[in-house]
Amino acid sequence: WLTEKVWSKDREKFPEKVSWNGVEIPCFTAEGYKWAMALISSRSIFCDGALRLIPMLDMANHEDKGEEIVGGTMGAFGTTKGATMTANRAYKTGEEVFCSYGPKSAADYLLEHGFCPKKAWKTAVSELTFEVDSEDRFYDDKLDILEYETYDLAPMDPTQSFDLVSETGRDGEPDPAMIQFLRLCKLGGTDAFLLESIFRKEVWDFMSLPVSQKNELAVVEFVIAACDKALEDFSQCPEGGPAVCEKLRESETKALTRTRQFLLREKEALDLKEYYQERRLKDLGLDSEWNPEEDNDLLGYGQTREPGAADYDW
């Protein structure tokens, strides 16, 4: 598309090749574009909230024990933006200095840098992406809640990606933040009263715990379906390829399978969870029957109120 619609329209401005030190280098062609993207992907450094190309510092290779390159300042008055690379140990003269490329997944390391460090395999992940349905009748309310929760920072995007980890020792439990986000996504029906403005400051915290059995079931089934879709996509991948790709595919499949199995167990135990209504009744002391034979004139069994004896603002 770029060649047909942009580059070929003006080859004087977008030459196919350029000469540098007597060598012709592909420029505005498919080959040149791939080279440029590979260079930026492998050499760029995430610093001060954005990917940046930083000459000299981009020459440092990765070491798991190294320190990440971070934003900083330079100059006599410290007003000029810069970057800081800190050594994690004492280096000898002439010894290669390493840094860390950051806490990325094995897939991200392979995609962006062409290798997978040992530490990345311990937290190899598969990524799932979810979003608030734009056709949801409560779409604007849910966006408002997400924006309110992150008002002092960047507004939380209605599309969120989460990692499923295949780490040894984990039972497949998904990221609590993912379940919290999906509870909000699936909020509706008789639970929609929580979207009223009176709850606006509290509703996001409400989503950290089960809302209702119907809502929890919708969330569990939604994630299971996403895992099934991802596993199906993996099954259609061609056999063979580099050993590192095979290992990565096995690791991501394991993460998806463990998460799916965990949620299937959760689905069978939904009736054992405590939901918003039960928690609210407990807060009000209304979670058990009133016993008129109790000695306490105001409170009965389980700290319930005698009818008309409490001053609750309904």
Side-chain angles (χ1 to χ4, degrees):
W1 186 90
L2 285 171
T3 300
E4 180 183 350
K5 302 293 185 181
V6 182
W7 298 333
S8 62
K9 301 294 184 182
D10 188 351
R11 279 302 177 187
E12 184 176 345
K13 186 175 182 180
F14 302 110
E16 292 186 66
K17 298 179 180 180
V18 293
S19 294
W20 187 64
N21 288 342
V23 179
E24 287 194 338
I25 301 175
C27 195
F28 292 100
T29 61
E31 184 182 356
Y33 181 77
K34 290 178 182 178
W35 174 84
M37 289 300 297
L39 182 68
I40 292 173
S41 178
S42 63
R43 290 294 182 182
S44 59
I45 299 167
F46 190 81
C47 181
D48 285 338
L51 284 175
R52 305 177 187 277
L53 289 173
I54 307 177
M56 294 299 292
L57 293 188
D58 66 356
M59 297 178 68
N61 285 320
H62 171 83
E63 184 179 64
D64 283 341
K65 295 181 180 180
E67 297 288 337
E68 290 184 58
I69 295 174
V70 298
T73 58
M74 57 186 183
F77 300 100
T79 56
T80 304
K81 280 192 174 183
T84 302
M85 179 178 172
T86 305
N88 65 317
R89 57 186 172 85
Y91 285 93
K92 297 179 181 179
T93 302
E95 189 177 0
E96 181 178 0
V97 178
F98 294 92
C99 70
S100 170
Y101 291 168
K104 302 179 183 180
S105 69
D108 286 335
Y109 267 104
L110 184 60
L111 176 64
E112 297 174 7
H113 305 289
F115 72 96
C116 292
K118 292 181 179 180
K119 188 176 181 180
W121 287 117
K122 296 179 181 180
T123 55
V125 299
S126 182
E127 187 178 80
L128 292 180
T129 300
F130 302 99
E131 64 179 327
V132 181
D133 185 0
S134 59
E135 299 298 321
D136 190 327
R137 60 180 293 195
F138 303 112
Y139 181 75
D140 290 336
D141 292 305
K142 294 176 180 180
L143 287 194
D144 189 40
I145 290 167
L146 293 175
E147 290 177 0
Y148 178 83
E149 273 308 306
T150 54
Y151 181 78
D152 293 331
L153 304 172
M156 190 182 294
D157 196 90
T159 300
Q160 295 286 316
S161 295
F162 302 93
D163 292 337
L164 307 182
V165 184
S166 61
E167 184 179 353
T168 303
R170 293 175 63 96
D171 60 359
E173 182 179 3
D175 184 352
M178 179 178 78
I179 302 301
Q180 184 178 16
F181 177 75
L182 291 177
R183 283 178 182 141
L184 179 65
C185 290
K186 294 299 179 182
L187 199 65
T190 55
D191 299 322
F193 73 94
L194 290 172
L195 296 171
E196 294 290 341
S197 58
I198 191 174
F199 296 112
R200 193 53 48 94
K201 295 181 179 180
E202 302 170 311
V203 66
W204 180 247
D205 288 336
F206 290 163
M207 297 300 106
S208 63
L209 295 171
V211 178
S212 69
Q213 188 165 338
K214 182 179 179 181
N215 177 265
E216 201 75 357
L217 177 61
V219 169
V220 167
E221 290 183 336
F222 194 53
V223 179
I224 290 175
C227 290
D228 288 340
K229 177 64 168 60
L231 288 169
E232 182 183 355
D233 291 342
F234 272 126
S235 68
Q236 296 175 1
C237 292
E239 295 294 331
V244 66
C245 294
E246 288 285 341
K247 185 178 179 181
L248 181 59
R249 187 155 55 237
E250 290 176 7
S251 183
E252 293 197 19
T253 299
K254 180 181 177 182
L256 288 164
T257 302
R258 287 163 64 89
T259 299
R260 184 181 184 278
Q261 291 173 344
F262 179 90
L263 290 170
L264 286 173
R265 296 193 296 270
E266 285 285 291
K267 186 177 180 180
E268 296 298 321
L270 291 180
D271 59 327
L272 303 178
K273 291 189 174 185
E274 184 178 71
Y275 297 102
Y276 174 80
Q277 289 186 343
E278 288 87 348
R279 295 195 299 274
R280 183 59 176 156
L281 288 173
K282 279 188 177 181
D283 290 343
L284 296 173
L286 301 174
D287 57 319
S288 58
E289 294 183 4
W290 169 63
N291 186 351
E293 297 179 359
E294 288 289 329
D295 294 333
N296 194 314
D297 294 334
L298 297 178
L299 298 178
Y301 176 74
Q303 294 188 333
T304 54
R305 68 183 179 89
E306 180 178 317
D311 184 20
Y312 289 114
D313 181 7
W314 296 99

